[in-house]
Structures are given as C-alpha cells and as structure tokens.
Amino acid sequence: MAIIGSSSEPLLLLNPDLTVIAASASFCSAFHIEPTSVPGQMVTALGNGEWNVPQLKSLLKATASGRARISAYEMDLQGEGRTQRHLVLSAENLLFGSPTRQLLLLAVADVTDQRLAEKVKDDLVRDKAIMLQELQHRVANSLQIIASVLLQSARKVQSDETRDHLHSAHSRVMSVAAIQRQLATTGEAEVQVGEYLTELCDSIAASMIRDPDQLRITVEADGSSTNSDRSVSLGLMVTELVINALKHAFPEEQAGTITVAYRSTDTGWSLSVVDDGVGMPKGGVETPGLGTSIVRALASQMRADVKIIDRKPGTEVRVNQTPSDLGVQTGPTPMAMLI
C-alpha cells in the first residue's frame, strides 16, 4: 500500500471485481480525485463518471480472469470542465502466495503533451514537404523559361558557333529542369531514371534535330531509381554525350540513331551512349572539348570510369561504376558545371 501511495506514476490497485483498494497520490492529483473517496469505489465510478468506459471495464475483467492482458490500451478521458487527456493504460495481475489471493495493478500514463508534440512535428514536416514541392515546381518553371529564352536566342543569332553554344546551354538547363519537374510531380526524393532520361532526350531532340525521320534518339533503361544528386550528374553526362554525337557523328544530316542505355544492379551501374555514325577520327580521339571535360569531371565525382569505344562504324561512350566504388559518397553537382 505504501509503495502504491508514494509512486510517482499514477497507479491503481484493484480487486478482481474492479473495486479500488488504493490509489497513488500522483493518480489522484493528475485526475483531480479526492484521495479519501477512492478506496472501495468501483474504478468505473471514479471522478464524475469519466472512467466509466465499457471497453476499459471489459478489458480489466478479462485481465483479472487471465483471458487477456492490457499492455497499452489508449483512451481519451474527458473530465467535467477539464481539457481532454489522452491516456495509455497497462494492467498486470498480482499473485500473492495462494492463487486465491489476486490483485490487479493498473498503471496510467498521460501522453497528451507527447501526442500534441508529435502532431505539431508531423504538421511541420507536412508543411515543409508542401513548401519544398512548391519550390521545386517554381524552380522547374523558372528553368523552363531560361531554356526557352536560350532557344529563342539560338534561332536569332547568325553565327553557327554561337548558335551551337546556345543549344548546348539550353540542353544543360533542360537536363536539370526535367529532374525538377519529376520531383515536383511525384513529391518523392527518388527519380525514375528511365522516365527522366526519356524526357531529357526528347527535349534535346526537339531542339537540335531538324528531321526526326532521319535522326532519332532512343532510351533503353531498367526500372531503377536514384537520388536527385546522382540523376543530375547522369542527366548532364547524357546531355553532353548526345550533343557531342549530334555534332560530330552525323555530318551533312546523315541518317542514324543514338541509343542511351542505363542499367543498375546491386553491384553498380552503367551508362552508355552509342551512335551508328561516322565513328572516331583517324589517329584516335580528338582533343577533349568542354563537353568531354564535363563528362569526365562528373564521372570522377561519382567514382566511375569512362571508356570510349570505336564500334566501326559508330562510337560508344560507356560510364561504369565498379562495386568497390559504391560505398563512396558523392556530393551535389557543382552549379558552375551546369551551363
């Protein structure tokens, strides 16, 4: 009795018939019950009747008979003129020597403040997720506007070299815009690689291929997904490699196909861009330009290897991440490399 009365946790000691033998001072204080009125009362008669919950009564009786056990029964308690409280109840049978000497110990935890804090946290997380999605949507729209301006400028300039640079800048911006659109649409942190690369290559083809019947870009990808940082790097590499193939593999609007392939396994991933154009120049690879430098820099950042293969005819650029590199963490793509 002394242990029950002095417990800092709200406790009730009950007979099998659910009459109260003793209550801790903390119980009486927490639920505004006069201590002297507790002994001998039915638990369902405590206070102003707010403890008269049929399901609680049934669970306590089942626990007393050994047919059930209350480990974390949750209920709302609404006292007269008081704020509703959310409680978690646990009950245990206590046996003293003879099986006929049985008591029931009911522990009550008030988790109202804790649940309120959890709700506030969940609301904040949800609000931040909505704000992030809205930000991604606005960023995607802004990138689309920038890309459109670049494409319009490319159509107006007279210099072929300037036009090529503007087309390249447009495609690089679109590679990031495509990711932002997918993130804004799905609301997920992961990007579906196949969908992203298909949208990206469609955008490049629309801006740089005059006759789709003569020259086309196809994408072959598995159903894997990756995080936004890696997808940005993959997209930029594909952009540079496809633009490079369009510039050099098909002179004088020669017909052909550029195939972008991506595969991911438990041991690594591989990206390849293959064209069936005129192939590599005699004497080996030309001096690396900006696009090639970007691809090698991104591959190095992702701890991947770049191989250029002469397919005779055509050229294949393959980027592989080996199993030993999977544990290396890569940082976000430097924005200075995007345009």
Side-chain angles (χ1 to χ4, degrees):
M1 296 287 287
I3 293 174
I4 296 295
S6 61
S7 172
S8 60
E9 180 180 5
L11 296 177
L12 288 177
L13 187 63
L14 310 174
N15 283 310
D17 63 358
L18 306 188
T19 57
V20 181
I21 300 173
S24 66
S26 56
F27 178 89
C28 296
S29 174
F31 302 107
H32 307 282
I33 296 174
E34 175 58 42
T36 58
S37 68
V38 173
Q41 276 202 77
M42 291 290 294
V43 67
T44 53
L46 293 174
N48 294 312
E50 61 267 21
W51 290 87
N52 189 14
V53 180
Q55 188 174 4
L56 173 62
K57 183 178 179 180
S58 299
L59 287 171
L60 288 173
K61 285 186 174 181
T63 301
S65 65
R67 290 181 283 110
R69 178 174 178 270
I70 301 178
S71 58
Y73 173 64
E74 299 194 20
M75 61 174 276
D76 291 324
L77 187 74
Q78 180 70 63
E80 185 177 347
R82 299 187 181 94
T83 304
Q84 180 174 282
R85 311 302 293 174
H86 192 78
L87 310 180
V88 177
L89 284 66
S90 301
E92 291 283 350
N93 276 316
L94 303 179
L95 300 177
F96 296 91
S98 170
T100 59
R101 182 57 174 166
Q102 177 182 327
L103 300 176
L104 195 62
L105 182 64
L106 178 64
V108 182
D110 187 340
V111 296
T112 306
D113 294 338
Q114 177 185 339
R115 293 299 164 82
L116 179 60
E118 290 174 356
K119 183 180 183 302
V120 170
K121 182 189 71 174
D122 292 342
D123 289 345
L124 286 173
V125 171
R126 184 179 65 255
D127 290 345
K128 287 185 177 180
I130 293 173
M131 290 175 63
L132 177 60
Q133 191 171 3
E134 177 64 19
L135 176 61
Q136 289 169 340
H137 182 70
R138 293 191 179 193
V139 169
N141 288 343
S142 298
L143 289 171
Q144 286 274 40
I145 293 172
I146 294 172
S148 298
V149 171
L150 289 170
L151 194 57
Q152 289 175 7
S153 299
R155 291 168 180 163
K156 294 177 180 178
V157 298
Q158 300 299 318
S159 167
D160 290 339
E161 182 180 1
T162 302
R163 186 181 301 109
D164 286 344
H165 286 315
L166 288 172
H167 276 301
S168 297
H170 166 266
S171 298
R172 289 164 188 159
V173 172
M174 289 301 297
S175 70
V176 183
I179 291 177
Q180 292 297 329
R181 279 196 303 274
Q182 189 170 110
L183 291 175
T185 302
T186 63
E188 301 291 337
E190 294 287 304
V191 174
Q192 293 294 323
V193 178
E195 294 178 11
Y196 164 54
L197 293 182
T198 299
E199 181 180 352
L200 175 61
C201 289
D202 287 346
S203 174
I204 296 174
S207 65
M208 299 191 70
I209 296 179
R210 295 180 181 178
D211 186 355
D213 293 330
Q214 286 289 103
L215 187 58
R216 63 194 183 99
I217 307 172
T218 64
V219 175
E220 300 173 358
D222 56 20
S224 62
S225 60
T226 188
N227 60 55
S228 57
D229 284 344
R230 178 181 289 178
S231 58
V232 169
S233 297
L234 291 173
L236 288 172
M237 286 193 288
V238 168
T239 298
E240 298 305 329
L241 293 173
V242 169
I243 290 175
N244 190 65
L246 290 172
K247 287 180 178 179
H248 303 292
F250 306 100
E252 299 178 358
E253 299 185 4
Q254 175 181 323
T257 301
I258 300 171
T259 302
V260 177
Y262 178 83
R263 295 288 182 272
S264 177
T265 66
D266 293 337
T267 58
W269 56 265
S270 65
L271 171 71
S272 65
V273 176
V274 183
D275 68 71
D276 56 2
V278 297
M280 298 173 63
K282 294 182 179 180
V285 184
E286 295 177 340
T287 303
L290 175 61
T292 303
S293 300
I294 290 176
V295 171
R296 292 193 181 279
L298 290 168
S300 176
Q301 183 188 42
M302 301 173 76
R303 303 300 191 270
D305 297 324
V306 180
K307 293 182 179 179
I308 302 176
I309 303 166
D310 189 352
R311 295 174 64 91
K312 297 180 181 180
T315 305
E316 175 181 357
V317 180
R318 187 181 302 162
V319 184
N320 288 318
Q321 187 183 52
T322 60
S324 60
D325 299 324
L326 293 180
V328 180
Q329 298 295 320
T330 61
T333 303
M335 292 305 294
M337 300 179 69
L338 303 185
I339 57 175

